[in-house]
DNA sequence: TAGGCCTGATTAAACGATTAATCATTTCAC
DNA sequence: GTGAAATGATTAATCGTTTAATCAGGCCTA
């Protein structure tokens, strides 16, 4: 109460200069017609009084809150910091604030989180959906970051291409029997990465196999061993994880078993998470350009909010969408897939002869 | 424009029932005097029309935005997901939304980020300050999460006690020469952890030494080796890192050098980060009860926002703070230090004889 | 039966910014 | 010299909600 009373508003500035509020508003927003010298005086006193425009007043009048929502499948995901940071930065540049909403991995809570954001009056939202979830009506423009192969996706890294890159890298190092490590076959991102990986290799000369951790843990409990030493015995010489988290798991398990990386076998990851450069050996991985992704998503979203003519608006099951829809709309950006970049570090190396490896391993 | 016009508001509900807006408002908020049956009818039609109260209108009238700010030193910190998740959850329970602001590790940007939040009209903010930063005037209640030893701290984990716990654990395992691994001596959190660690040990019987990674990297470049194999030669049998990130770095470096963990040496971390349970061997670490911390911080903050009588308000350099200050105020909670919990996993084990270790190591 | 009290509802005034409409001047063209 | 246009400012309505003040009856009491 008191604090609000104390803050200078347009009325106070107008009063202190003996002019009308409208003129002050026009001067500060640069929209109406105000003489240059008066505008200058207004800006000066506004600054002197420490004027801060009331978002509430503005929002009420304009119907815009100036806030975007960020919905994540699970904040505790290690990739989240980067996403949040990039989105926050792009949004701030575009003049928007970012409200976070966590669905804690639960599909039901995702709708709930979206609902909370809508109630707070966000102008639009960026959603990183949980495993192939369809986005329900949100009542505001929505940008989805998932996978290019997912319908409704706005923008994302080109996971397929990333998979191809890492596959070529390992093939060029001479590896011919490669184990892919993923968490869940239900993840479209992981499937894309694996699909791209396989697509780059000639199946007749290079043997691949997929290990799903989730399935393994159902049997052996969370945090169980992946049995990679056995795989090495079977002749696998490279382990390509679909995330740095799994790569790390593989790396430490192999090291613990006395198998040298990259001397005996190679290990690669995905995402270039924070620990990847500092572990020994530093992880070879694939980095996504999150800054670019965030920028594209925010740009598309803001464009859609501003009555997006340049942006196509669509609604599932509604082909004719010429006029901007008042309610829900999924935003599609021009450039929807951002290439991933291979980061070669020390955990991957050329294929060595099996005999050398085995002798070292059994000593 | 169109979208706002379509959303049902109090006026529409009132009109559809042929009553006044005030009655509708009273019925929905349960504040004024409304007959039970009419209130019921109002709630019913509100639900039927899909009424969502306008935060903007409410904020303008009440002077409360219902939004809290979360300021972090660096969103890319691996601990951030947990903090954000916990804060978001506690805030949501208290009926608040959370706006994020990242200072990207830069001290100057911290003030800037705070300013942005103020401009968005947050009712209060939670700040995790960067390395011993003093919080400048924010113009709204502020809860600080740092270290109990920092002046102005509202609530935090008891890092000192956490250090003691891990020290006792290693001592009880028989270790007598322990290397502490930290990043920077400027961090008050890390200093507390190290201080607590040392305080639990008798310096005459147990030898400790501190390795500051930042100093090392200044010379050898980022991601350099820590030279732990040498330390092992010097007789160190346990490596207590001040963060799981550094513990991971130590673990992999030792493994790569052919030193078995925990058979030859022990490694411990701090914070129980996401990878800690899944690496091999799983990391022994100390977990902070972030849920409790977030809850306490939010409770104190909300209490201060609501004209906190039960909460002491203070201003640096102003001892007499009986009446609630309109502007800046640092919030202090009753219970300001939350104990940390030791999580024993496989990376720490009893001391083995040096000879066994060396022979294994040189094979 | 008149005055007072309780109940259940209405009236109307904010909150702060935006903006279309309007009004007074001055300038300019014909 | 008169009507039109441009300039620079003001007036007033509006966004949706909250809330103090008011009002109309019904009921009880003296």
């Amino acid at each position: 109460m008191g604090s609000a009373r104390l803050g200078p508003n347009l009325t106070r500035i107008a009063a202190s200069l003996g002019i009308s509020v409208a003129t002050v508003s026009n001067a500060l927003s640069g929209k109406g017609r105000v003489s240059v010298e008066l505008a200058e005086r207004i800006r000066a006193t506004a600054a002197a009084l420490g004027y801060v425009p009331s978002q509430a007043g503005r929002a009420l009048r304009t119907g815009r809150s100036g806030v975007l929502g960020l919905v994540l499948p699970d904040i505790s995901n290690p990739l989240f910091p980067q996403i949040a940071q990039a989105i926050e930065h792009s949004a701030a540049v575009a003049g928007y604030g970012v409200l976070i909403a966590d669905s804690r991995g639960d599909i039901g809570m995702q709708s709930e989180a979206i609902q909370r954001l809508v109630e707070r009056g966000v102008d639009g939202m960026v959603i990183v959906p949980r495993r192939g979830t369809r986005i329900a009506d949100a009542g505001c423009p929505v940008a989805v970051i998932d996978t290019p192969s997912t319908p409704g996706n706005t923008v994302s890294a080109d996971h397929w291409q990333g998979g191809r890159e890492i596959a070529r890298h390992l093939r060029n190092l001479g590896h011919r029997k490669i184990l892919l490590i993923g968490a869940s076959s239900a993840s479209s991102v992981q499937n894309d990465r694996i699909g791209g990986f396989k697509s780059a290799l000639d199946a007749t000369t290079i043997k691949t196999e997929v290990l799903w951790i989730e399935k393994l843990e159902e049997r052996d409990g969370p945090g169980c061993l992946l049995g990679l030493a056995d795989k090495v015995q079977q002749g696998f010489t490279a382990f390509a994880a679909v995330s740095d988290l799994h790569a790390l798991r593989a790396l430490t398990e192999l090291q613990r078993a006395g198998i040298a990386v990259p001397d005996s076998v190679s290990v690669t990851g995905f995402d270039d998470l924070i620990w990847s450069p500092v572990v020994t050996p530093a992880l070879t991985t694939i980095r996504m350009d999150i800054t670019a992704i965030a920028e594209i998503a925010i740009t598309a979203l803001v464009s859609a909010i501003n009555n997006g003519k340049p942006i196509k608006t669509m609604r599932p099951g509604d082909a004719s969408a010429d006029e901007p829809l008042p309610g829900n709309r999924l935003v599609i950006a021009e450039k929807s897939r951002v290439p991933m970049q291979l980061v070669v570090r020390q955990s991957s190396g050329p294929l060595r002869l099996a005999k050398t490896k085995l002798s070292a391993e059994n000593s």
Side-chain angles (χ1 to χ4, degrees), chain A:
Chain A
M1 6 171 66
S3 61
R5 186 65 39 101
L6 294 178
N9 50 17
L10 289 189
T11 313
R12 206 170 311 274
I13 296 177
S16 91
L17 285 171
I19 57 179
S20 77
V21 285
T23 305
V24 179
S25 174
N26 282 332
L28 295 178
S29 66
K31 282 193 176 170
R33 290 180 302 204
V34 186
S35 65
V36 258
E37 61 268 31
L38 179 54
E40 186 46 51
R41 277 207 299 150
I42 290 175
R43 271 191 296 272
T45 52
L49 291 173
Y51 169 69
V52 177
S54 153
Q55 285 292 328
R58 179 175 292 169
L60 180 55
R61 177 63 227 245
T62 63
R64 297 275 174 78
S65 63
V67 172
L68 302 179
L70 175 59
V71 182
L72 293 138
D74 189 359
I75 286 192
S76 63
N77 183 300
L79 194 54
F80 167 60
Q82 295 182 44
I83 297 181
Q85 184 172 48
I87 293 283
E88 196 269 344
H89 184 249
S90 290
V93 168
Y96 283 87
V98 176
L99 217 44
I100 56 173
D102 179 22
S103 38
R104 301 193 152 221
D106 185 288
I107 298 186
M109 289 189 69
Q110 180 169 284
S111 330
E112 219 175 281
I114 292 176
Q115 186 54 30
R116 278 208 305 277
L117 289 178
V118 170
E119 283 177 10
R120 298 225 164 273
V122 296
D123 293 337
M125 38 209 269
V126 176
I127 302 184
V128 183
R130 177 161 173 73
R131 283 183 192 170
T133 314
R134 276 288 204 168
I135 303 306
D137 280 351
C140 67
V142 171
V144 177
I145 300 181
D146 190 7
T147 308
S149 67
T150 305
N153 178 69
T154 299
V155 57
S156 70
D158 193 339
H159 301 288
W160 186 276
Q161 168 257 340
R164 280 208 320 267
E165 299 278 343
I166 206 91
R168 289 205 195 103
H169 172 66
L170 290 174
R171 184 194 58 198
N172 293 344
L173 288 172
H175 296 280
R176 295 294 175 261
K177 200 163 179 193
I178 306 174
L179 186 72
L180 284 155
I181 304 176
S184 159
S185 55
S187 159
S188 48
V189 168
Q190 295 186 22
N191 276 321
D192 269 27
R193 290 175 173 181
I194 289 174
F197 190 99
K198 288 181 173 171
S199 80
L201 303 177
D202 176 11
T204 62
T205 63
I206 299 187
K207 180 86 193 301
T208 63
E209 196 179 306
V210 182
L211 175 73
W212 294 112
I213 293 183
E214 213 168 66
K215 208 168 290 173
L216 211 63
E217 288 191 332
E218 266 176 28
R219 205 188 55 196
D220 299 350
C224 65
L225 288 180
L226 304 178
L228 300 187
D230 280 354
K231 296 293 181 183
V232 173
Q233 292 290 356
Q234 291 168 27
F236 285 95
T237 62
F239 298 85
V242 111
S243 158
D244 281 356
L245 183 56
H246 310 134
L248 182 62
R249 190 165 175 175
L251 173 67
T252 54
E253 180 171 331
L254 289 165
Q255 284 187 331
R256 183 78 213 285
I259 301 168
V261 178
D263 303 333
S264 298
V265 301
S266 290
V267 173
T268 64
F270 249 97
D271 291 340
D272 197 19
L273 298 180
I274 191 160
W275 62 79
S276 306
V278 299
V279 295
T280 303
L283 271 180
T284 290
T285 187
I286 296 269
R287 180 191 298 153
M288 44 198 259
D289 189 348
I290 299 194
T291 305
I293 293 174
E295 209 162 319
I296 294 173
I298 295 295
T299 303
L301 196 52
V302 169
S303 181
I305 290 171
N306 297 328
N307 233 324
K309 279 300 177 201
I311 299 294
K312 282 174 272 176
T313 61
M314 63 160 269
R315 185 163 56 181
D318 180 21
S320 71
D322 270 320
E323 53 187 44
L325 301 172
N328 183 41
R329 43 191 177 203
L330 295 176
V331 178
I332 301 192
E334 307 295 328
K335 183 131 179 47
S336 77
R337 58 181 67 195
V338 178
M340 299 188 86
Q341 187 195 351
L342 181 67
V343 181
V344 178
R345 286 197 275 246
Q346 293 123 36
S347 70
S348 60
L351 179 70
R352 301 288 169 85
L353 291 181
K355 290 172 186 169
T356 320
K357 181 179 58 203
L358 285 173
S359 64
E361 173 186 331
N362 292 337
S363 76

